[in-house]
Amino acid sequence: PANEPDPSVLALNADLLSFDDTLTIHLPEKEYRFITAGLGSLLDHVLVTNASHISVMNGHGCGRMQLNILVLQQNLKSIENNVSLSRSARFYEYFSEGADVIISRVKETGGKGMGFNLEELKALIELCYSEALQSQQRDIAMQAKRALNDHQLQLSETMWNT
């Protein structure tokens, strides 16, 4: 279980607070708000769209990501009012639920109600199988590859038909 956020997240938090301090000192309120407005939305977007760069993730890694998101969100609240990283939190919650649940939700909603596009959902499904695909046991890796291909096909068919 993840008890500590990633050191890079702690460094980002420190940089964000330093940036905020500098802006607060040197800019009037209106300009400060202009620059900081949307910072949470930007980070929320980055945490989802860059998921495709994660090579392997398991339940512990997902727990760490969820903790990182929570820590970032708490830090951002000191910079931007009403900030929420709910989209990225939801993305990694779907990972925890597994590929079958993701595909079921896509079929129920046509993918539209989930708040993610086809590429983001493909990356999420790939993450769900990433650990098994790296298995040293050939039969586990092959089974994961078949299941991944099946789920990606179902995902594409459902998203293209809606």
Side-chain angles (χ1 to χ4, degrees):
N3 298 328
E4 295 287 324
D6 279 355
S8 57
V9 169
L10 295 175
L12 175 59
N13 275 343
D15 290 344
L16 286 169
L17 289 175
S18 174
F19 173 71
D20 182 57
D21 288 343
T22 302
L23 291 179
T24 302
I25 292 168
H26 296 290
L27 293 178
E29 180 69 18
K30 185 177 180 183
E31 284 82 1
Y32 170 84
R33 290 284 164 224
F34 177 78
I35 291 174
T36 59
L39 191 56
S41 296
L42 174 65
L43 281 174
D44 205 23
H45 176 77
V46 166
L47 288 166
V48 172
T49 57
N50 285 344
S52 61
H53 297 289
I54 300 171
S55 57
V56 178
M57 181 178 278
N58 61 18
H60 294 296
C62 183
R64 168 74 63 91
M65 260 324 269
Q66 290 170 320
L67 177 62
N68 289 337
I69 290 166
L70 181 64
V71 168
L72 279 170
Q73 181 173 286
Q74 288 305 112
N75 187 55
L76 286 169
K77 286 182 178 183
S78 68
I79 299 171
E80 184 181 358
N81 294 332
N82 302 318
V83 70
S84 172
L85 301 180
S86 59
R87 186 169 180 265
S88 51
R90 193 170 58 250
F91 185 84
Y92 292 98
E93 284 172 21
Y94 282 133
F95 173 90
S96 296
E97 293 174 355
D100 289 330
V101 172
I102 295 165
I103 294 299
S104 294
R105 292 234 171 100
V106 168
K107 288 179 177 180
E108 289 168 10
T109 65
K112 307 240 187 293
M114 294 180 70
F116 303 104
N117 65 35
L118 177 60
E119 292 306 311
E120 292 165 343
L121 290 169
K122 278 185 175 180
L124 181 57
I125 296 292
E126 287 174 15
L127 277 179
C128 289
Y129 287 103
S130 63
E131 185 178 34
L133 288 169
Q134 300 293 318
S135 175
Q136 297 299 318
Q137 296 178 335
R138 183 172 154 72
D139 57 327
I140 291 174
M142 292 304 296
Q143 190 176 10
K145 182 69 173 162
R146 281 192 297 275
L148 170 61
N149 289 338
D150 180 52
H151 279 130
Q152 286 184 326
L153 179 63
Q154 290 179 55
L155 176 65
S156 294
E157 287 175 347
T158 303
M159 296 291 283
W160 283 108
N161 290 332
T162 57

